Amino acid sequence: MKPLDPRLLRYARSARGYLALTVALGLLTGALVVAQALLLAHALGSAVADGASLAQVAPLAGWLVVVVVLRALTAGVQERYAHRSATRAVAELRERVVAHAAAVGPRRAAPADGAGLVTLATRGLDALEPYFVRYLPQLVLAATLTPATLLVVLGLDWVSAAILAGTVPLVPLFMWLVGVMTQGRSERGLATMQRLGAQVLDLLAGLSTLRAFGRERGPAARVRELGDAHRRATMGTLRIAFLSGMVLELLTTLAVALVAVGVGLRLVYGHVDLVTGLAVLVLAPEVFQPLRQVGAHFHASADGVAAADRAFAVLEVPVAEAGTRPAPDLTRGTVRARGVAVRSRGGWAPAPVDIDLVPGRVVALVGPSGAGKSTTVEVLLGLLPPDVGHVALVAADGTATDLADVDVHDYWRQVTWLPQRPVLEPGTVEEVLGATTRAERDRAAALTGLDTVVASLPDGWGTALGGGGTGLSVGQRQRLALTRALLRPSPVVVLDEPTAHLDAAGEQVVLATLEALRDAGCAVLLVAHRESLASRADDVVHVTSAPDAAAHGAPLAADEVRR
């Protein structure tokens, strides 16, 4: 990202007002710095050279105190609004990233690493705060205060101005050299943090399975290695920051010393008066101060800049044009997929496949892991556009409407989707279930075995659950989600590995739920690994992956077995 990337002002609108305030405060700070230097020089020069009394110097000292107080207040206002603006801008950018990723789909927003997208939207963007609070104000001061102060020095003493003008370009030159040496370090640090976040998320997601096999401590070594790698990258950045800060401090100190030596020699020979010499000596460090601070805070903000680059890459992924046509009534309609395939790394997953979701029939997707079963579900749900083929919604009269032309929200109102890890809102068991009558609730709970689960809870149906069903085991959450799907059956029901976290008794619950949904006239799409589950389906679709060469030319035929 550039020092001030226009995309930041476009995507985080709250940063515009902050930038305008920073420019105004920077100009005010420049005026106060010049005023402070001139007042101090006149007060000391009058006292030393002209022998002015305390009463004669008092007005200058009073104004000097006022200027110092105003400068402190300006710095305080800058600091206060910097933190506020940083919080608002980061929140706004995070909201845009999450909303855009949801609009384009996680596969398109982060095709290589979905977990890294989560890390970016949380911990990654928090690193932008040093950029707003420290780096950006000093960058504005370097663009305003440094040239303004140099012009004032030129009006006072052209020799000192020439020395400063000759040494000031060395500061950005050395900063550029340091930047070349550290190029890519922040990106590598962010990548390490994202890998660490992805490993931890995967570990937490599969912790129940790992504990079941007694392997919960196995990934700890890998997480520890990634943590150590991130620590080493962070310490390396700090080491370079300290070394580069030392180089800049040494350079600016030598430049100010050259000015001081020149002013001192000319004071001895009477080529410059004391007031002018003192004013130049006070202003000389102020010429370099913003540049020194930019260099000092550059490395602190580099992680945030790298995260902003990643965020902009997500935000610039184009959003597919949304459909506007109403979805047909699927209680008597069909969801039809023909030659659907999605390109993956090194091939197609799934290879082109044909699927028909018909009311009152159960379709099972079977195939090895990685073949594209979950991807096929995402295509049928309208969450992912296929690279080959198309999905159509066919009404009872035979009229077909391409899913890409349909208002997807209107389509989703007719779909119930039960993923491998169901989404459950916080509330009591009864509130999460959302049953209309007690009789319906008890009948559905008896079918799925939820009544047995509720009987074991301390407060029964009134037991409070946290977000995601916290308070229940994974299998109990699955039973609750199945019961909810059974209570409000939609025309299309999608079950993604419903027996993944259930034992043999739980599998019988799923089989009974399938029969109930079929009897209710639902079109059920089932992702199954167990043969006992796939054997209950009316249609079985074998999903396979294929290399790139297999998908060139004519589409592959779907391997579909009718029962």
Side-chain angles (χ1 to χ4, degrees), residues 170-186 236-249 251 294-296 298-299 302:
L170 296 177
V171 177
L173 176 61
F174 274 83
M175 289 173 60
W176 174 78
L177 291 175
V178 171
V180 170
M181 292 176 58
T182 59
Q183 187 177 14
R185 179 174 292 273
S186 296
T237 301
L238 291 175
R239 186 185 306 111
I240 292 178
F242 286 131
L243 291 176
S244 61
M246 183 191 71
V247 171
L248 294 178
E249 290 290 337
L251 177 63
V294 167
F298 172 77
H299 296 283

Side-chain angles (χ1 to χ4, degrees), residues 267-502:
L267 279 173
V268 171
Y269 291 101
H271 296 162
V272 65
D273 60 275
L274 182 60
V275 173
T276 301
L278 289 173
V280 170
L281 289 178
V282 174
L283 288 174
E286 299 293 344
V287 173
F288 293 99
Q289 180 65 16
L291 293 173
R292 291 163 58 188
Q293 292 300 315
V294 167
H297 296 304
F298 172 77
H299 296 283
S301 65
D303 289 342
V305 171
D309 275 332
R310 291 291 304 275
F312 296 151
V314 173
L315 292 172
E316 289 170 358
V317 175
V319 179
E321 186 176 352
T324 58
R325 300 180 63 179
D329 183 9
L330 295 178
T331 55
R332 295 181 298 165
T334 304
V335 179
R336 180 184 298 164
R338 290 293 179 267
V340 169
V342 176
R343 185 183 295 276
S344 64
R345 283 179 290 183
W348 299 80
V353 63
D354 297 343
I355 299 174
D356 288 312
L357 300 182
V358 181
R361 296 182 69 84
V362 177
V363 177
L365 296 182
V366 299
S369 298
K373 297 185 298 296
S374 296
T375 303
T376 304
V377 170
E378 292 181 17
V379 171
L380 293 173
L381 290 175
L383 297 172
L384 180 68
D387 294 310
V388 175
H390 70 281
V391 179
L393 306 182
V394 183
D397 59 0
T399 305
T401 306
D402 198 296
L403 182 57
D405 300 329
V406 172
D407 181 359
V408 69
H409 296 281
D410 191 34
Y411 170 52
W412 288 342
R413 293 187 187 97
Q414 303 184 66
V415 177
T416 296
W417 179 29
L418 182 60
Q420 294 185 31
R421 294 189 174 272
V423 178
L424 301 176
E425 305 83 5
T428 64
V429 176
E430 188 164 13
E431 290 171 348
V432 174
L433 192 60
T436 55
T437 65
R438 180 170 297 183
E440 289 181 351
R441 180 198 71 184
D442 293 341
R443 184 169 58 253
L447 182 63
T448 62
L450 182 64
D451 55 350
T452 305
V453 173
V454 172
S456 65
L457 297 177
D459 297 324
W461 292 102
T463 302
L465 303 179
T470 303
L472 298 177
S473 68
V474 178
Q476 290 171 339
R477 297 175 196 178
Q478 196 79 353
R479 290 175 185 259
L480 178 57
L482 284 170
T483 308
R484 187 165 64 174
L486 195 59
L487 278 171
R488 295 186 296 274
S490 301
V492 178
V493 178
V494 180
L495 304 178
D496 190 353
E497 294 287 353
T499 59
H501 309 290
L502 299 177

Side-chain angles (χ1 to χ4, degrees), residues 3-4 8-9 12-27 74-90 92 128-141 297 301:
L4 182 57
L8 183 62
L9 303 180
R13 296 180 182 274
S14 57
R16 299 177 182 180
Y18 170 64
L19 181 61
L21 177 65
T22 302
V23 172
L25 292 177
L27 296 175
T74 303
V77 170
Q78 173 68 56
E79 189 80 9
R80 177 180 180 181
Y81 283 96
H83 283 284
R84 290 187 176 183
S85 298
T87 301
R88 287 196 297 266
V90 170
E92 185 177 356
L128 263 178
E129 185 171 348
Y131 175 85
F132 280 99
V133 178
R134 302 282 180 242
Y135 182 72
L136 188 57
Q138 297 302 325
L139 191 65
V140 173
L141 288 177
H297 296 304
S301 65

